[in-house]
């Protein structure tokens, strides 16, 4: 095949996260190159994730399995000494195992094609979503995904197609994020919601690689009742197919109540500043896991402040936090006076970061007990347009200590 150096470099960069670099079978460390008259497709598969990138270019029909790392390094070496623009425009030929430019021709290690484990077939798109909205919502949800490999279900994002909506949810047990994107069906929508656990690490890679992609994203899902549960995302010339993680995502619907004891709308930027100060002070006293607390004080006029929790209960009464203006949109002054909500400050900041496009954020408390929030706290934009929801587990302390 004949194409530009920049085109092949980009395709290899995308295909790389499907390479099994430490596979016991060397063939799986390779990239399968399949060519037709006017196109070429690169395919990699690490037993869980399959990536295919199709490129336009002149080629003869054929296929070869080449050592991925060697091809990538050789391709970079071909344009050593060239400017960036010259390198990108350099014409490259890849015929069988021979990589050529006008200056150099080198063979690339060919691997045994018969030993390469082919990936499962991609799932045809059942719906499409706008890339900008998909990646924006994914960026908000991903931080809540777990990183403990002993709990594989929690290291995935639960993708659900429900009617004309794609729902993305992730949790690490201490927080839960849910985002929704309008989907346009390409086939008859499933009769009931269809869910697949999609590895969060793969979605994180896609988020980095497709920052400038503005086309549609195709969504294809095969659930637990299929032979090989899997999901495919189609992004222009690229398809990514993953084997779904085994297990069931927690049913979290009951964690988002519809009635609250109190809801407080706060300026997001002010709350971020207060949380950063609280985190810095907690770290300054050497308590890397110390919480911060939102506390409503009724000293004349009801006021809200966020303070670092850095002392014993007796000494903590002397700590004053940064004032945070608020408006109660649910509940009364009497409902919140003297009440507090304690958070992991890192988790609180990550949650607030998901609302960067909003001036305010609303904190919903479903129940107070012994002066503290007892149940998960819900954060929303509360503007009628943004459907994103973030749930945080409050930190509780024994009031007798």
């Amino acid at each position: 095949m004949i194409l530009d150096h920049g085109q092949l470099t980009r395709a290899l960069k995308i295909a790389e996260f499907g390479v099994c670099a430490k596979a016991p079978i060397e063939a799986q460390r390779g990239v399968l190159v399949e060519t037709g008259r006017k196109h070429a497709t690169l395919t990699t598969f690490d037993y869980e994730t399959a990536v295919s990138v199709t490129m336009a270019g002149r080629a003869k029909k054929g296929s070869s399995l080449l050592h991925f790392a060697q091809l990538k390094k050789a391709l970079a070496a071909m344009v050593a000494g060239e400017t960036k623009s010259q390198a990108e425009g350099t014409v490259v030929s890849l015929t069988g195992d021979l990589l050529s430019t006008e200056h150099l021709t080198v063979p690339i290690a060919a691997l045994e094609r018969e030993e390469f484990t082919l990936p499962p077939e991609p799932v045809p798109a059942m719906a499409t979503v706008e890339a900008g909205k998909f990646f924006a919502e994914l960026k908000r949800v991903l931080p809540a995904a777990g990183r403990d490999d002993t709990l594989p279900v929690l290291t995935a994002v639960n993708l659900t197609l429900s009617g004309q909506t794609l729902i993305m949810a992730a949790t690490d047990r201490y927080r839960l994020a849910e985002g929704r994107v309008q989907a346009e069906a390409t086939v008859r929508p499933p009769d009931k919601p269809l869910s697949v656990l999609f590895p969060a690490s793969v979605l994180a890679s896609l988020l980095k690689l497709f920052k400038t992609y503005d086309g549609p994203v195709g969504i294809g899902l095969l659930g637990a009742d299929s032979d090989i549960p899997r999901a495919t995302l189609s992004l222009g010339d690229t398809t990514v197919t993953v084997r779904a993680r085994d297990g069931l995502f927690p049913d979290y619907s009951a964690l988002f109540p519809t009635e609250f004891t109190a809801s407080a709308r706060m300026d997001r930027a002010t709350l971020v500043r207060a949380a950063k100060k609280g985190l810095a002070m907690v770290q300054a006293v050497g308590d890397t896991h110390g919480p911060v607390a939102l506390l409503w004080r009724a000293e004349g006029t009801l006021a809200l402040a966020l303070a670092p929790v850095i002392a014993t209960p007796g000494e903590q009464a002397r700590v004053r936090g940064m004032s945070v203006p608020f408006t109660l949109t649910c509940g009364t002054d009497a409902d919140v006076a003297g009440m507090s909500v304690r958070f992991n400050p890192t988790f609180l900041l990550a949650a607030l970061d998901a609302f960067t496009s909003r001036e305010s954020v609303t904190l919903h408390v479903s129940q107070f007990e012994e002066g503290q929030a007892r149940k998960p706290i819900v954060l929303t934009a509360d503007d009628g347009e943004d459907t994103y929801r973030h749930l945080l587990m409050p930190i509780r302390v024994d009031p007798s200590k």
Side-chain angles (χ1 to χ4, degrees), residues 198-210:
F198 201 112
S201 59
V202 177
L203 291 171
S205 295
L206 287 175
L207 191 60
K208 293 177 182 178
L209 289 169
F210 287 87

Side-chain angles (χ1 to χ4, degrees), residues 4-43:
D4 291 342
H5 184 278
Q7 187 181 6
L8 182 55
T9 299
R10 172 187 170 275
L12 288 175
K13 184 177 181 180
I14 294 171
E16 186 167 14
F17 75 91
V19 176
C20 192
K22 298 181 179 180
I25 299 176
E26 191 176 27
Q28 228 58 36
R29 304 176 200 172
V31 54
L32 179 62
V33 183
E34 298 175 294
T35 56
R37 289 183 59 190
K38 297 182 179 180
H39 72 274
T41 300
L42 307 183
T43 299

Side-chain angles (χ1 to χ4, degrees), residues 341-362:
V341 185
R342 298 188 180 205
F343 295 108
N344 175 314
T346 301
F347 288 177
L348 175 59
L349 284 167
L352 294 173
D353 191 51
F355 295 92
T356 51
S357 64
R358 304 295 172 180
E359 292 185 358
S360 63
V361 62
T362 300

Side-chain angles (χ1 to χ4, degrees), residues 291-295 304-309 316 321-322 340-343 348:
V292 294
L294 276 170
L295 175 63
L304 175 65
L306 189 144
V309 180
Q316 184 65 30
M322 179 175 169
S340 67
V341 185
R342 298 188 180 205
F343 295 108
L348 175 59

